[in-house]
Amino acid sequence: MSATPLRLAVINSSVREGRFGPTVARWFVEQAEQRTDLEVDLIDLTEHALPYELSHAPSDTVSAELARVSPRLAAAEAFVVVTPEYNHSYPASLKNLIDWHRSEWQAKPIGFVSYGGLAGGLRSVEHLRPVFAELHAVTVRDCVSFHNVWGQFDEAGALVEPTAASAASKTLLDQLVWWGVSLREAREKRPYGA
């Protein structure tokens, strides 16, 4: 096993006013940062205002935003997408980030932390799996899901009952590290697509 920590990008995908995503993302980042086999980079999509179409923004604005976020995605060796469920799917801000990039996702593992109401954001995860498959990314099977999320965290952002979620995050991170290290070694031996 490699002694070099795996570079993990955690993407907080919601950009709505009053969003709950920062609470969930901070909790997950704390879980990941407890590990010595990971180096964590939190990417909040409110800080990266990519236009939905090139015709809606000057090209220098697009270039500036891509220059800020694309290198971070390219440097990552694994991803965790923190996503709510909006109308039985994932946010447009996340689809936009995905669509502005291609090679940054290829031959890398992606995990999910979802949140929402009764379904816990799981429908958004299931919509994301074929999108990332199209980009030649590997989605790991297990995820962390918060059902009725608003009652699960206290005012300070701590989980009221952390046992199950902490165990689920450990499983997710273990799978990401296995896939991430394996794919890193594979890309070093033979670049993807070669």
Side-chain angles (χ1 to χ4, degrees):
M1 181 133 193
S2 174
T4 305
L6 190 72
R7 293 184 308 272
L8 173 66
V10 177
I11 301 169
N12 183 18
S13 66
S14 175
V15 298
R16 284 187 178 179
E17 187 176 331
R19 66 199 175 123
F20 201 80
T23 301
V24 177
R26 276 192 303 271
W27 172 83
F28 185 77
V29 165
E30 288 171 5
Q31 301 297 301
E33 287 179 337
Q34 292 176 22
R35 299 176 63 118
T36 59
D37 54 358
L38 291 170
E39 177 185 308
V40 182
D41 178 18
L42 176 60
I43 299 172
D44 190 331
L45 295 190
T46 59
E47 299 169 7
H48 301 286
L50 291 168
Y52 290 103
E53 293 182 26
L54 190 54
S55 61
H56 287 94
S59 61
D60 58 339
T61 302
V62 175
S63 296
E65 281 304 319
L66 288 173
R68 291 178 56 230
V69 71
S70 299
R72 293 171 73 184
L73 296 177
E77 297 173 295
F79 302 94
V80 168
V81 174
V82 179
T83 183
E85 183 177 310
Y86 295 158
N87 302 318
H88 287 211
S89 195
Y90 54 92
S93 54
L94 178 56
K95 181 68 162 105
N96 196 35
L97 177 75
I98 292 167
D99 288 349
W100 275 103
H101 298 89
R102 184 161 187 83
S103 62
E104 291 83 357
W105 310 112
Q106 290 180 341
K108 296 177 184 178
I110 300 177
F112 302 100
V113 175
S114 66
Y115 61 95
L118 288 175
L122 290 174
R123 291 176 286 217
S124 62
V125 171
E126 292 312 309
H127 286 193
L128 284 164
R129 290 186 190 281
V131 172
F132 280 116
E134 175 65 20
L135 294 168
H136 299 251
V138 177
T139 61
V140 299
R141 188 221 174 267
D142 291 290
C143 65
V144 180
S145 178
F146 293 102
H147 303 261
N148 297 313
V149 69
W150 305 275
Q152 293 204 38
F153 289 82
D154 64 21
E155 291 85 24
L159 273 172
V160 175
E161 175 44 60
T163 306
S166 295
S169 72
K170 181 185 181 321
T171 299
L172 170 61
L173 290 168
D174 286 347
Q175 290 176 5
L176 276 173
V177 168
W178 188 91
W179 278 102
V181 170
S182 298
L183 290 170
R184 172 203 284 163
E185 292 169 356
R187 286 191 311 272
E188 287 171 355
K189 290 179 185 172
R190 184 173 176 208
Y192 185 77

